[in-house]
Amino acid sequence: MASTLTLPAPVQRFFALFPLHTYPPVPVPVRFPLVKPTLWIAPPRSSVHLDPSLSSDLLSADVECLKWQAYIALRGLSDIAVRWDISPEGGLDGRLPNLHVPASGDSQTQLLPSHGIPAWVDGRVPGPVDALEGYKDEQARDESHAWVSLLEGTVHAALSLSQAPPSFLSALLQSDSKRARSIEAILSPPPAPLTGFSSLFPSFGTNVTLSAVQTRYAEAIASLSERLGTDKWFLGSENPTALDALIFAYLHSILHSRHTTRIEVTRRVNLVTWERRIRAQVQATFCVA
């Protein structure tokens, strides 16, 4: 039903002074055209003087991002792009890595958090999903959980202590998402408090000594070397597993640190040789976005 109400002529003349113009949408410039799956990572160590022809420059200096790079490579995928110009605040949940997947067929462009990467990889790798997650038996799969706890606890604590602490100004301006977990939260079991039950003061603080962490770290690396032996993959698996990706990330980060913690790894020939072999495969998987 058409409206019979009309604006008075003076009002129409006033509105005519402010005509409504509709403009076409402005195209958004795309700095990195998404033509292949792209992994958002923390910057590599040599990102300042990057040579795109050297794939060794594309391994992230962050052990968490490097773990997922190794996971994708060891699952057999290739031609994956990486970019590191996005801060963790720009990623999903304020964390990196993220995987940016281009549109394919009926599916639209997707941005996946790190915990969504395994499902995406399973969809790209032919064959059924292994209930044992690539391990030879249930005992090996259960044992892998203990190794993950050791790596993400003792070894991660030693790696964190080997890195130079940020300056006071940097720590003051650093966002919460970029702050590393405290050593007390990493170690398992957690360290004892500074004061005991017999103290007159309530329990406070934590009793964490560098020598204690280094002793546990040396024992962990020795156990890791002994468990690998001359096998191709850890725990005697026929194919690489998620544990191999995690171990590579820590070994690579330790070997490329400038701290004395790297000595424990360099003394084990089998660990150094194994890391070099996996590094070549991971480097060949990625390219610059």
Side-chain angles (χ1 to χ4, degrees):
M1 180 178 178
S3 176
T4 58
L5 298 178
T6 58
L7 292 175
V11 177
Q12 292 182 8
R13 289 194 296 269
F14 176 76
F15 283 170
L17 299 176
F18 308 97
L20 178 63
H21 296 284
T22 302
Y23 296 93
V26 178
V28 179
V30 180
R31 182 181 178 186
F32 295 96
L34 188 63
V35 296
K36 61 182 65 176
T38 303
L39 190 67
W40 299 0
I41 61 173
R45 289 178 175 81
S46 54
S47 60
V48 178
H49 305 288
L50 176 65
D51 184 356
S53 63
L54 298 178
S55 57
S56 59
D57 293 328
L58 304 182
L59 299 184
S60 176
D62 178 71
V63 68
E64 180 69 15
C65 294
L66 183 57
K67 175 188 72 174
W68 288 109
Q69 284 187 271
Y71 178 83
I72 293 174
L74 294 180
R75 289 295 302 273
L77 300 184
S78 60
D79 198 24
I80 307 295
V82 290
R83 58 182 298 185
W84 52 86
D85 60 325
I86 300 175
S87 65
E89 291 84 355
L92 296 177
D93 301 327
R95 301 177 61 182
L96 294 177
N98 288 168
L99 181 64
H100 201 185
V101 183
S104 176
D106 297 334
S107 62
Q108 298 180 349
T109 301
Q110 290 181 302
L111 184 62
L112 304 176
S114 58
H115 58 78
I117 294 178
W120 177 82
V121 173
D122 289 339
R124 298 287 297 269
V125 176
V129 178
D130 186 5
L132 294 176
E133 303 174 8
Y135 300 101
K136 61 181 182 180
D137 50 35
E138 293 184 2
Q139 289 76 13
R141 184 184 60 183
D142 295 339
E143 183 184 351
S144 69
H145 299 160
W147 286 108
V148 170
S149 177
L150 181 66
L151 290 166
E152 295 183 343
T154 301
V155 177
H156 192 94
L159 181 62
S160 300
L161 291 174
S162 67
Q163 298 172 349
S167 62
F168 175 77
L169 182 60
S170 300
L172 189 63
L173 299 177
Q174 200 173 45
S175 62
D176 293 337
S177 61
K178 289 186 177 182
R179 292 176 182 173
R181 291 186 301 165
S182 62
I183 300 299
E184 297 83 355
I186 296 175
L187 290 175
S188 178
L194 286 175
T195 57
F197 292 105
S198 60
S199 174
L200 297 177
F201 302 97
S203 299
F204 70 94
T206 52
N207 186 16
V208 179
T209 60
L210 180 60
S211 59
V213 174
Q214 289 178 339
T215 300
R216 294 171 59 178
Y217 163 74
E219 295 174 351
I221 296 299
S223 301
L224 201 65
S225 175
E226 182 179 357
R227 188 64 178 89
L228 174 63
T230 58
D231 293 340
K232 183 178 181 181
W233 305 108
F234 274 87
L235 306 186
S237 302
E238 295 183 1
N239 298 304
T241 63
L243 177 62
D244 293 288
L246 181 63
I247 293 175
F248 166 77
Y250 278 105
L251 290 181
H252 180 82
S253 299
I254 293 171
L255 287 173
H256 286 76
S257 67
R258 299 182 179 180
H259 195 265
T260 55
T261 51
R262 66 190 303 269
I263 297 177
E264 291 296 334
V265 177
T266 56
R267 291 171 53 191
R268 274 81 183 180
V269 179
N270 63 337
L271 293 182
V272 175
T273 304
W274 187 87
E275 186 274 339
R276 289 178 178 175
R277 178 173 61 86
I278 306 304
R279 188 201 318 167
Q281 182 176 350
V282 177
Q283 289 172 352
T285 301
F286 297 93
C287 60
V288 180

